[in-house]
Amino acid sequence: GKRAAKAEARAPFDGTLRPCPEKSKDWDTTQNAYIEGDNLQALKLMRQTYAGKVKLIYIDPPYNTGHDFVYDDDFAQTREEYVQDSGDYDSEGGRLVANPESNGRFHSDWCSMIYPRLLLARDLLSHDGAIFISIDDNELTNACKITDEVFGNANHVATFSVVNNLKGRNDKANYAPCHEYIVVYGKSSFSSYGIPLSADKADSFDLCDKAGNKYQLRDLRKRGNGDRREDRPNMYFPIYYSEEKNECSLEPQPSADCVAIYPKLSDGSDGRWRWGKETVRVNLGLLEPRKKRAGNWGIEYRVYLDPRLNPTSQGASEERRDKPKSIWLGPEFSTDVAQREIKDLYGGVAPFDFPKSVSLIRRVVQMSTREDDLVLDFFSGSATTAHAVMQQNAEDGGNRKFIMVQLPEVCDKDSEAYKAGYRTICDIGEERIRRAGEKIRAEVEEANRQAKIGEEPKKVPDIGFRVFRVDSSNFQDVRRQPDQLGQQQLSLYTDNLKPDRTAEDLLFQVLPKFRIPYSAKVQKREVCGKTVFDVNDGQLVACFDVDVETDTIEAIARMRPLYAVFRDASMADDATEANFEELFKTYSPDTIRRVI
């Protein structure tokens, strides 16, 4: 099914994202989004606007344990054929089918589901972006083979083992699994930012210079493998030190106490320095020679807790980072902690099974994003990723944005979620973002009340989100063969807009045509008695009302937008339509016009 999966990724989807302001939070100001619908369709729609703009994609797809569902992406089937074939359908029309281990295509069906989604995900990533995939050993091998093919083996960054259940699960016959995996692939030039230092490591910077900056000392002589002179001959050279002047130099000094210090191994043989001559020259002020007990000399160098104070760390962040280890071990990553987190948010009820912990996703966010990056999760589940992004923004003052995508799977009527009033997984995720956001707001405000005089208060991060729903196009399909139309039917197609669609629906179908994000600032104005949408302060101006006359068109042209959009059915009469181009040529010739 690989050929069909590739074709499915490239097949067009004639749909749109319909805005749902009534389900959203802070609609007018937020830059975050939550999309309800099939993630394959959502990814196709997003590609028009977000190609190359997403810094981090984190997904926690179905693990294919034999008890969960996969997507059936055969669009060639009619709805009736599909229902007859599968017998399983969710309430919103999503193509969910059970995938029991008895299925002869058990692994193949999972691969066919994930393959086109990863192809589309790659298109969305920025050149320095990365995708993090949570998976267990059921499909680890297949996931790695597919990502090798989609992203390239050379872009495999790491496969982390996450210990999330020290007691071990009892779902295997011969062993008790304690861990899962996170597979990481970069787009082309991904480089990890590392993770914040632990408290113990931060405390190891226990020395201070005259300005009060914390540092620690490290040996300038190379240790471990490759520490001999013959390994790097260019890194064996003398560093001269005057004890009287307390100065180091690469040239001999005239003072009588000047000593030449060489890198010597413990057995007296020649070693080498960690740095070459040019790096030493730049960092002479960081060197601290020490006379050892045997009477010979060694050299240590300062490593500051604030990396910006190290001359070789140009453009470094103010926070020193550590490399993440290949095994993530800690109670904060456990499923028990994740379950307690979601129970705390929902008043003691756990409406979602097996969520990821906020600390786990925060670590992913810390490793792969800076303050203004965009994060996407298209298997959103309980929306832990959105929670983690908001929490990290509150911690470091960032302005990361998130986009969550989740199919509105129906909650089982016997589940805790259904009993608590949640009908779909989307209801659970959206409510989690609301509750987590308010909790974060309260924590930030409390911290500001406790702040010392002179401390800059923390800002409350963006805790809102715009909800969109994947749906069919706002326009009717009016394409017909000549023999399918009669004269009496022509009047049916004077307006091709579906009767249940609004002007806001039209606006958000238009935005991707101009690569304008769904988070764009939208102002609704009245111009000459007609409703006009102003997007991003004049980037795009749209009017979808009917009976639009020349005065409205002239007023919009005088606004000099970059783009202007009208409906074909909006024009009041033929004269207005005829004057449309002339008005823009007169008042705003550079505006790109489109009539839909």
Side-chain angles (χ1 to χ4, degrees):
K2 184 187 292 185
R3 181 179 297 178
K6 288 181 177 179
E8 189 54 67
R10 302 308 174 196
F13 171 58
D14 185 22
T16 186
L17 293 183
R18 296 182 65 186
C20 305
E22 70 283 357
K23 302 184 73 174
S24 306
K25 178 181 175 65
D26 301 333
W27 173 273
D28 291 329
T29 58
T30 186
Q31 294 184 300
N32 303 317
Y34 189 102
I35 300 173
E36 299 181 355
D38 186 332
N39 53 18
L40 185 69
Q41 297 170 345
L43 290 170
K44 290 181 179 183
L45 294 172
M46 290 177 59
R47 185 170 55 185
Q48 302 176 67
T49 301
Y50 294 96
K53 294 183 179 180
V54 178
K55 186 63 178 294
L56 164 65
I57 296 176
Y58 170 80
I59 57 172
D60 183 16
Y63 284 7
N64 207 22
T65 61
H67 305 289
D68 47 23
F69 293 83
V70 297
Y71 295 77
D72 187 326
D73 295 325
D74 185 3
F75 289 105
Q77 292 179 306
T78 66
R79 179 184 177 91
E80 291 73 19
E81 289 171 338
Y82 179 87
V83 173
Q84 183 178 3
D85 179 55
S86 70
D88 283 302
Y89 228 84
D90 73 285
S91 67
E92 299 294 327
R95 295 170 302 283
L96 280 177
V97 294
N99 193 34
E101 292 181 359
S102 58
N103 175 14
R105 287 171 46 89
F106 178 66
H107 293 290
S108 184
D109 282 352
W110 187 89
C111 292
S112 293
M113 179 275 295
I114 201 69
Y115 196 99
R117 289 163 173 83
L118 292 180
L119 284 173
L120 291 165
R122 187 183 185 280
D123 291 343
L124 296 177
L125 279 177
S126 61
H127 69 91
D128 57 348
I131 184 169
F132 287 64
I133 305 170
S134 281
I135 202 72
D136 72 359
D137 52 4
N138 284 294
E139 295 293 352
L140 174 65
T141 301
N142 287 326
C144 290
K145 287 177 180 177
I146 291 174
T147 42
D148 273 349
E149 184 167 319
V150 172
F151 291 88
N153 180 264
N155 289 317
H156 178 226
V157 176
T159 298
F160 296 106
S161 297
V162 182
V163 179
N164 61 353
N165 186 347
L166 278 176
K167 300 188 296 290
R169 304 195 311 269
N170 60 2
D171 55 347
K172 298 293 183 181
N174 298 303
Y175 69 101
C178 296
H179 70 284
E180 296 176 351
Y181 304 92
I182 295 181
V183 178
V184 185
Y185 279 75
K187 174 73 172 285
S188 58
S189 58
F190 171 74
S191 180
S192 171
Y193 298 124
I195 57 176
L197 294 184
S198 65
D200 290 344
K201 286 196 173 183
D203 290 342
S204 69
F205 290 80
D206 53 356
L207 302 173
C208 287
D209 63 14
K210 294 179 181 178
N213 299 306
K214 291 185 175 183
Y215 69 92
Q216 60 179 212
L217 291 172
R218 297 180 187 173
D219 198 342
L220 186 61
R221 179 176 66 80
K222 177 72 170 70
R223 295 177 177 271
N225 293 332
D227 63 345
R228 301 171 304 170
R229 178 179 182 176
E230 52 264 38
D231 293 322
R232 297 291 294 275
N234 290 340
M235 291 188 174
Y236 178 84
F237 53 86
I239 297 176
Y240 298 95
Y241 174 61
S242 169
E243 195 169 5
E244 179 183 351
K245 296 180 179 179
N246 193 26
E247 289 180 356
C248 290
S249 173
L250 287 174
E251 291 78 29
Q253 300 297 304
S255 57
D257 67 337
C258 181
V259 294
I261 305 175
Y262 289 87
K264 294 291 184 179
L265 301 179
S266 56
D267 62 2
S269 61
D270 293 341
R272 72 171 182 89
W273 302 120
R274 291 181 180 273
W275 299 339
K277 278 190 175 183
E278 290 309 309
T279 304
V280 169
R281 194 183 306 278
V282 173
N283 290 279
L284 286 171
L286 300 182
L287 303 184
E288 293 194 11
R290 294 279 189 273
K291 184 177 281 190
K292 301 179 180 178
R293 291 180 181 177
N296 55 336
W297 288 81
I299 298 180
E300 296 175 307
Y301 65 97
R302 294 182 182 183
V303 177
Y304 281 95
L305 181 59
D306 183 346
R308 295 173 299 177
L309 299 175
N310 295 296
T312 55
S313 302
Q314 295 181 359
S317 166
E318 62 183 281
E319 181 184 42
R320 180 164 291 283
R321 296 279 179 132
D322 203 358
K323 279 187 178 181
K325 304 299 187 292
S326 59
I327 297 177
W328 296 5
L329 175 63
E332 67 272 21
F333 303 136
S334 73
T335 53
D336 288 343
V337 166
Q339 203 71 10
R340 284 199 300 271
E341 287 173 344
I342 201 166
K343 278 186 175 181
D344 289 344
L345 279 177
Y346 288 87
V349 176
F352 191 85
D353 296 329
F354 311 116
K356 291 294 186 285
S357 74
V358 174
S359 294
L360 176 70
I361 312 303
R362 278 189 66 190
R363 170 165 288 195
V364 170
V365 171
Q366 290 165 349
M367 289 171 54
S368 54
T369 67
R370 291 298 197 199
E371 285 77 4
D372 295 312
D373 288 330
L374 177 60
V375 179
L376 168 65
D377 182 346
F378 54 87
F379 285 97
S380 173
S382 67
T384 306
T385 301
H387 188 166
V389 169
M390 294 188 296
Q391 193 75 58
Q392 188 59 36
N393 283 340
E395 183 72 24
D396 62 15
N399 188 36
R400 299 171 187 83
K401 283 78 67 178
F402 65 74
I403 300 176
M404 302 290 105
V405 184
Q406 176 60 42
L407 189 77
E409 302 173 39
V410 177
C411 298
D412 189 280
K413 290 186 178 181
D414 295 326
S415 67
E416 291 294 324
Y418 193 91
K419 294 173 184 176
Y422 304 107
R423 296 296 176 259
T424 69
I425 301 298
C426 291
D427 293 341
I428 297 171
E430 290 161 9
E431 182 62 15
R432 178 177 189 163
I433 301 174
R434 294 187 194 97
R435 294 187 180 214
E438 289 305 319
K439 184 173 183 286
I440 290 168
R441 182 206 299 275
E443 290 171 348
V444 170
E445 291 174 348
E446 179 60 26
N448 288 338
R449 283 193 290 270
Q450 302 292 332
K452 298 177 182 178
I453 297 176
E455 283 186 349
E456 187 165 343
K458 288 186 174 183
K459 68 174 184 178
V460 177
D462 182 356
I463 57 175
F465 58 100
R466 287 181 174 178
V467 177
F468 298 90
R469 185 175 75 250
V470 176
D471 209 329
S472 60
S473 172
N474 293 306
F475 298 100
Q476 300 184 58
D477 185 0
V478 297
R479 293 169 295 182
R480 296 290 185 275
Q481 293 296 325
D483 60 357
Q484 295 176 311
L485 281 175
Q487 186 68 33
Q488 68 278 10
Q489 294 172 296
L490 294 179
S491 61
L492 297 176
Y493 303 111
T494 55
D495 187 355
N496 61 348
L497 184 66
K498 291 179 179 176
D500 63 332
R501 304 305 169 94
T502 67
E504 284 80 1
D505 292 335
L506 275 180
L507 177 67
F508 281 94
Q509 181 162 349
V510 164
L511 293 186
K513 308 298 182 185
F514 303 100
R515 293 184 63 83
I516 298 175
Y518 295 109
S519 58
K521 176 184 175 183
V522 178
Q523 294 176 293
K524 186 187 290 189
R525 300 179 177 178
E526 185 175 308
V527 176
C528 301
K530 300 299 180 184
T531 299
V532 171
F533 296 98
D534 183 350
V535 179
N536 286 341
D537 298 320
Q539 183 180 7
L540 180 145
V541 174
C543 180
F544 304 121
D545 283 0
V546 295
D547 297 326
V548 174
E549 298 182 342
T550 54
D551 58 344
T552 305
I553 296 175
E554 180 179 333
I556 292 174
R558 288 180 179 274
M559 295 167 66
R560 302 180 65 84
L562 182 59
Y563 306 108
V565 183
F566 297 83
R567 283 176 60 198
D568 183 47
S570 294
M571 305 301 175
D573 48 40
D574 291 342
T576 303
E577 190 167 358
N579 290 328
F580 171 77
E581 286 293 333
E582 293 304 319
L583 287 169
F584 271 94
K585 287 179 181 178
T586 301
Y587 297 107
S588 187
D590 295 330
T591 295
I592 298 171
R593 288 90 71 184
R594 180 169 293 182
V595 177
I596 60 175

